[in-house]
């Protein structure tokens, strides 16, 4: 839109706003940003603008496809003409490029497969390593529990052995005391027997008289 037209619209809106300078500046700014709306011209909605843009893009793509198709048709027509060394070289190069691309594609597929296999092997190795670590931790825990149980059993056995040693020492002491008492009793009995056997004749006569007087008492 020309500048004079835009300025005229702004002045027209300013006149309609009542002549205020501030309001006139605001109206002029709005008119500068939306000239069509300020001039009373119809403005297309956002949906219609999007549809117009899509139609333009579709037309551009159709034109580009038609151009590429035309180039391909011209190239095929040119290649069909016999008697050209350049055409033969281009055909050979095209075949070589095709097989090179096919070989590269196969190599790429092989690399992808090998990479996937390597990734799977790494994941399996990591899983096995984690499982081995867990198994080792479980075995170490079991061994620690068994060691603790064996230590407790050994301590109990040592305590029982100490008690048994004390009982054996006490039995030996009691046996020694019993043997000493038995020996003392044997000596006392032997001394009494010797004294009894060596009693005087008067004592023997007195014992016989006592035996006759008290027959219920004996053994003296």
């Amino acid at each position: 839109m020309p500048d004079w037209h835009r300025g005229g619209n702004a002045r027209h809106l300013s006149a309609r706003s009542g002549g205020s300078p501030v309001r006139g500046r605001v109206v002029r700014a709005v008119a500068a940003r939306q000239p069509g709306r300020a001039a009373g011209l119809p403005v297309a909605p956002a949906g219609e603008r999007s549809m117009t843009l899509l139609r333009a893009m579709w037309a551009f793509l159709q034109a580009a496809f038609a151009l590429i198709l035309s180039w391909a048709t011209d190239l095929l027509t040119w290649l069909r003409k016999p008697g050209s060394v350049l055409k033969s070289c281009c055909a050979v190069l095209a075949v070589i490029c095709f097989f090179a691309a096919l070989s590269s594609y196969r190599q790429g597929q092989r690399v992808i497969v090998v990479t996937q296999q390597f990734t799977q092997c790494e994941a399996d190795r990591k899983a096995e390593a984690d499982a081995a670590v867990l198994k080792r931790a479980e075995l170490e825990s079991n061994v620690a529990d068994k060691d603790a149980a064996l230590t407790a059993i050994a301590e109990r056995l040592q305590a029982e052995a100490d008690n048994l040693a004390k009982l054996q020492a006490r039995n030996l002491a009691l046996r020694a005391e019993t043997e000493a008492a038995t020996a003392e009793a044997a000596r006392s009995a032997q001394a009494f027997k010797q004294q009894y056997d060596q009693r005087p004749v008067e004592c023997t006569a007195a014992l016989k008289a006592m035996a006759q007087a008290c027959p219920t008492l004996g053994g003296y």
Side-chain angles (χ1 to χ4, degrees), residues 45-59:
E48 292 183 4
R49 289 199 299 271
S50 300
M51 292 299 297
T52 304
L53 182 60
L54 290 175
R55 291 194 190 96
M57 291 178 64
W58 178 248

Side-chain angles (χ1 to χ4, degrees), residues 48-220:
E48 292 183 4
R49 289 199 299 271
S50 300
M51 292 299 297
T52 304
L53 182 60
L54 290 175
R55 291 194 190 96
M57 291 178 64
W58 178 248
F60 174 75
L61 291 176
Q62 285 181 341
F65 179 73
L67 181 62
I68 293 172
L69 185 61
S70 176
W71 286 352
T73 304
D74 294 340
L75 181 61
L76 290 175
T77 303
W78 179 72
L79 289 175
R80 287 176 182 174
K81 293 180 181 180
S84 177
V85 179
L86 181 60
K87 294 177 183 178
S88 302
C89 293
C90 289
V92 172
L93 288 175
V95 172
I96 292 174
C97 290
F98 173 75
F99 283 105
L102 183 61
S103 177
S104 177
Y105 174 76
R106 290 180 178 176
Q107 290 293 333
Q109 292 295 320
R110 198 170 293 130
V111 168
I112 291 173
V113 171
V114 172
T115 303
Q116 292 177 353
Q117 292 177 353
F118 177 76
T119 304
Q120 185 65 32
C121 290
E122 284 293 323
D124 295 340
R125 184 188 63 81
K126 185 177 180 181
E128 291 178 357
D130 294 339
V133 170
L134 292 176
K135 187 66 176 178
R136 180 180 178 182
E138 183 180 359
L139 291 176
E140 288 179 352
S141 177
N142 293 334
V143 169
D145 294 339
K146 291 180 180 178
D147 290 341
L150 291 175
T151 302
I153 292 172
E155 290 177 354
R156 286 197 296 269
L157 291 176
Q158 185 64 36
E160 293 293 336
D162 294 339
N163 293 331
L164 182 60
K166 292 178 181 179
L167 291 175
Q168 289 178 351
R170 183 178 178 184
N171 290 334
L172 290 176
L174 292 175
R175 183 178 178 181
E177 292 178 359
T178 303
E179 290 178 353
T182 303
E184 182 65 25
R187 286 194 300 270
S188 177
Q190 184 66 27
F192 175 76
K193 188 175 182 302
Q194 290 178 357
Q195 291 179 1
Y196 183 79
D197 291 339
Q198 295 176 2
R199 66 185 179 277
V201 179
E202 291 84 5
C203 183
T204 302
L207 289 174
K208 287 180 179 181
M210 189 173 179
Q212 290 177 359
C214 298
T216 56
L217 299 176
Y220 45 84

